[in-house]
PDB file of all heavy atoms in Angstrom:
ATOM      1  N   GLY B 351      -1.806 -17.631 -53.000  1.00 88.00           N
ATOM      2  CA  GLY B 351      -1.312 -16.303 -53.499  1.00 88.00           C
ATOM      3  C   GLY B 351       0.200 -16.222 -53.340  1.00 88.00           C
ATOM      4  O   GLY B 351       1.020 -15.964 -54.232  1.00 88.00           O
ATOM      5  N   LEU B 352       0.593 -16.609 -52.109  1.00 86.00           N
ATOM      6  CA  LEU B 352       2.060 -16.528 -51.802  1.00 86.00           C
ATOM      7  C   LEU B 352       2.807 -17.484 -52.707  1.00 86.00           C
ATOM      8  O   LEU B 352       3.890 -17.093 -53.158  1.00 86.00           O
ATOM      9  CB  LEU B 352       2.334 -16.805 -50.357  1.00 86.00           C
ATOM     10  CG  LEU B 352       1.981 -15.720 -49.317  1.00 86.00           C
ATOM     11  CD1 LEU B 352       2.124 -16.206 -47.943  1.00 86.00           C
ATOM     12  CD2 LEU B 352       3.014 -14.511 -49.528  1.00 86.00           C
ATOM     13  N   ASP B 353       2.264 -18.687 -52.884  1.00 86.00           N
ATOM     14  CA  ASP B 353       2.908 -19.597 -53.760  1.00 86.00           C
ATOM     15  C   ASP B 353       3.033 -19.162 -55.154  1.00 86.00           C
ATOM     16  O   ASP B 353       4.123 -19.275 -55.798  1.00 86.00           O
ATOM     17  CB  ASP B 353       2.091 -20.952 -53.771  1.00 86.00           C
ATOM     18  CG  ASP B 353       2.214 -21.718 -52.473  1.00 86.00           C
ATOM     19  OD1 ASP B 353       3.281 -21.383 -51.724  1.00 86.00           O
ATOM     20  OD2 ASP B 353       1.283 -22.439 -52.020  1.00 86.00           O
ATOM     21  N   THR B 354       1.953 -18.499 -55.670  1.00 87.00           N
ATOM     22  CA  THR B 354       2.015 -18.008 -57.002  1.00 87.00           C
ATOM     23  C   THR B 354       3.099 -16.918 -57.246  1.00 87.00           C
ATOM     24  O   THR B 354       3.760 -16.889 -58.151  1.00 87.00           O
ATOM     25  CB  THR B 354       0.668 -17.311 -57.419  1.00 87.00           C
ATOM     26  OG1 THR B 354      -0.356 -18.125 -56.771  1.00 87.00           O
ATOM     27  CG2 THR B 354       0.451 -17.355 -58.861  1.00 87.00           C
ATOM     28  N   LEU B 355       3.194 -16.105 -56.044  1.00 85.00           N
ATOM     29  CA  LEU B 355       4.176 -15.150 -56.113  1.00 85.00           C
ATOM     30  C   LEU B 355       5.684 -15.672 -56.070  1.00 85.00           C
ATOM     31  O   LEU B 355       6.602 -15.017 -56.260  1.00 85.00           O
ATOM     32  CB  LEU B 355       4.062 -13.989 -55.034  1.00 85.00           C
ATOM     33  CG  LEU B 355       2.841 -13.079 -55.226  1.00 85.00           C
ATOM     34  CD1 LEU B 355       2.680 -12.372 -54.015  1.00 85.00           C
ATOM     35  CD2 LEU B 355       3.095 -12.217 -56.438  1.00 85.00           C
ATOM     36  N   GLY B 356       5.675 -16.977 -55.751  1.00 83.00           N
ATOM     37  CA  GLY B 356       7.009 -17.616 -55.689  1.00 83.00           C
ATOM     38  C   GLY B 356       7.670 -17.236 -54.359  1.00 83.00           C
ATOM     39  O   GLY B 356       8.939 -17.085 -54.280  1.00 83.00           O
ATOM     40  N   ALA B 357       6.810 -17.034 -53.362  1.00 79.00           N
ATOM     41  CA  ALA B 357       7.598 -16.647 -51.906  1.00 79.00           C
ATOM     42  C   ALA B 357       8.340 -17.859 -51.368  1.00 79.00           C
ATOM     43  O   ALA B 357       7.965 -18.997 -51.442  1.00 79.00           O
ATOM     44  CB  ALA B 357       6.495 -16.245 -51.006  1.00 79.00           C
ATOM     45  N   PRO B 358       9.517 -17.452 -50.828  1.00 84.00           N
ATOM     46  CA  PRO B 358      10.372 -18.582 -50.241  1.00 84.00           C
ATOM     47  C   PRO B 358       9.627 -19.196 -49.081  1.00 84.00           C
ATOM     48  O   PRO B 358       8.810 -18.440 -48.481  1.00 84.00           O
ATOM     49  CB  PRO B 358      11.605 -17.838 -49.844  1.00 84.00           C
ATOM     50  CG  PRO B 358      11.264 -16.376 -49.802  1.00 84.00           C
ATOM     51  CD  PRO B 358      10.186 -16.221 -50.879  1.00 84.00           C
ATOM     52  N   PRO B 359       9.863 -20.447 -48.847  1.00 81.00           N
ATOM     53  CA  PRO B 359       9.143 -21.095 -47.762  1.00 81.00           C
ATOM     54  C   PRO B 359       9.253 -20.327 -46.376  1.00 81.00           C
ATOM     55  O   PRO B 359       8.333 -20.259 -45.546  1.00 81.00           O
ATOM     56  CB  PRO B 359       9.712 -22.481 -47.668  1.00 81.00           C
ATOM     57  CG  PRO B 359      10.717 -22.647 -48.720  1.00 81.00           C
ATOM     58  CD  PRO B 359      10.756 -21.369 -49.407  1.00 81.00           C
ATOM     59  N   PHE B 360      10.469 -19.797 -46.133  1.00 82.00           N
ATOM     60  CA  PHE B 360      10.689 -19.045 -45.017  1.00 82.00           C
ATOM     61  C   PHE B 360       9.601 -17.949 -44.743  1.00 82.00           C
ATOM     62  O   PHE B 360       8.921 -17.787 -43.642  1.00 82.00           O
ATOM     63  CB  PHE B 360      12.063 -18.563 -44.864  1.00 82.00           C
ATOM     64  CG  PHE B 360      12.511 -18.094 -43.474  1.00 82.00           C
ATOM     65  CD1 PHE B 360      12.934 -18.988 -42.518  1.00 82.00           C
ATOM     66  CD2 PHE B 360      12.373 -16.724 -43.116  1.00 82.00           C
ATOM     67  CE1 PHE B 360      13.190 -18.627 -41.257  1.00 82.00           C
ATOM     68  CE2 PHE B 360      12.675 -16.330 -41.940  1.00 82.00           C
ATOM     69  CZ  PHE B 360      13.152 -17.246 -40.854  1.00 82.00           C
ATOM     70  N   LEU B 361       9.448 -17.224 -45.742  1.00 84.00           N
ATOM     71  CA  LEU B 361       8.502 -16.091 -45.721  1.00 84.00           C
ATOM     72  C   LEU B 361       7.144 -16.532 -45.625  1.00 84.00           C
ATOM     73  O   LEU B 361       6.339 -15.922 -44.879  1.00 84.00           O
ATOM     74  CB  LEU B 361       8.716 -15.239 -47.020  1.00 84.00           C
ATOM     75  CG  LEU B 361       8.087 -13.794 -47.031  1.00 84.00           C
ATOM     76  CD1 LEU B 361       8.661 -12.921 -45.968  1.00 84.00           C
ATOM     77  CD2 LEU B 361       8.204 -13.156 -48.334  1.00 84.00           C
ATOM     78  N   ARG B 362       6.796 -17.590 -46.508  1.00 82.00           N
ATOM     79  CA  ARG B 362       5.478 -18.087 -46.437  1.00 82.00           C
ATOM     80  C   ARG B 362       5.117 -18.534 -44.988  1.00 82.00           C
ATOM     81  O   ARG B 362       4.059 -18.214 -44.503  1.00 82.00           O
ATOM     82  CB  ARG B 362       5.391 -19.263 -47.409  1.00 82.00           C
ATOM     83  CG  ARG B 362       4.007 -19.788 -47.582  1.00 82.00           C
ATOM     84  CD  ARG B 362       4.028 -21.050 -48.392  1.00 82.00           C
ATOM     85  NE  ARG B 362       2.654 -21.423 -48.929  1.00 82.00           N
ATOM     86  CZ  ARG B 362       1.798 -22.018 -48.312  1.00 82.00           C
ATOM     87  NH1 ARG B 362       1.983 -22.370 -47.071  1.00 82.00           N
ATOM     88  NH2 ARG B 362       0.554 -22.285 -48.815  1.00 82.00           N
ATOM     89  N   GLY B 363       6.106 -19.227 -44.381  1.00 80.00           N
ATOM     90  CA  GLY B 363       5.868 -19.773 -43.086  1.00 80.00           C
ATOM     91  C   GLY B 363       5.626 -18.654 -42.076  1.00 80.00           C
ATOM     92  O   GLY B 363       4.697 -18.574 -41.315  1.00 80.00           O
ATOM     93  N   ALA B 364       6.511 -17.652 -42.136  1.00 82.00           N
ATOM     94  CA  ALA B 364       6.471 -16.504 -41.264  1.00 82.00           C
ATOM     95  C   ALA B 364       5.190 -15.772 -41.321  1.00 82.00           C
ATOM     96  O   ALA B 364       4.446 -15.497 -40.306  1.00 82.00           O
ATOM     97  CB  ALA B 364       7.670 -15.646 -41.350  1.00 82.00           C
ATOM     98  N   LEU B 365       4.755 -15.471 -42.645  1.00 84.00           N
ATOM     99  CA  LEU B 365       3.616 -14.700 -42.787  1.00 84.00           C
ATOM    100  C   LEU B 365       2.344 -15.424 -42.521  1.00 84.00           C
ATOM    101  O   LEU B 365       1.458 -14.988 -41.801  1.00 84.00           O
ATOM    102  CB  LEU B 365       3.528 -14.171 -44.233  1.00 84.00           C
ATOM    103  CG  LEU B 365       4.494 -13.031 -44.551  1.00 84.00           C
ATOM    104  CD1 LEU B 365       4.356 -12.570 -45.995  1.00 84.00           C
ATOM    105  CD2 LEU B 365       4.109 -11.778 -43.616  1.00 84.00           C
ATOM    106  N   LEU B 366       2.177 -16.729 -43.033  1.00 82.00           N
ATOM    107  CA  LEU B 366       1.047 -17.352 -42.908  1.00 82.00           C
ATOM    108  C   LEU B 366       0.930 -18.107 -41.546  1.00 82.00           C
ATOM    109  O   LEU B 366      -0.084 -17.954 -40.861  1.00 82.00           O
ATOM    110  CB  LEU B 366       0.947 -18.461 -44.075  1.00 82.00           C
ATOM    111  CG  LEU B 366      -0.449 -18.779 -44.471  1.00 82.00           C
ATOM    112  CD1 LEU B 366      -1.058 -17.475 -45.009  1.00 82.00           C
ATOM    113  CD2 LEU B 366      -0.422 -19.704 -45.687  1.00 82.00           C
ATOM    114  N   ASP B 367       1.871 -18.997 -41.295  1.00 78.00           N
ATOM    115  CA  ASP B 367       1.745 -19.805 -40.076  1.00 78.00           C
ATOM    116  C   ASP B 367       2.033 -18.877 -38.785  1.00 78.00           C
ATOM    117  O   ASP B 367       1.556 -19.190 -37.698  1.00 78.00           O
ATOM    118  CB  ASP B 367       2.772 -20.911 -40.111  1.00 78.00           C
ATOM    119  CG  ASP B 367       2.505 -21.823 -41.286  1.00 78.00           C
ATOM    120  OD1 ASP B 367       1.282 -21.930 -41.717  1.00 78.00           O
ATOM    121  OD2 ASP B 367       3.455 -22.437 -41.755  1.00 78.00           O
ATOM    122  N   GLY B 368       2.870 -17.838 -39.034  1.00 79.00           N
ATOM    123  CA  GLY B 368       3.063 -17.051 -37.849  1.00 79.00           C
ATOM    124  C   GLY B 368       2.075 -15.935 -37.719  1.00 79.00           C
ATOM    125  O   GLY B 368       1.216 -16.009 -36.806  1.00 79.00           O
TER     126      GLY B 368
END
Side-chain angles (χ1 to χ4, degrees):
Chain B
L352 283 173
D353 288 336
T354 327
L355 287 171
F360 193 79
L361 191 64
R362 185 189 199 278
L365 283 179
L366 211 57
D367 301 330

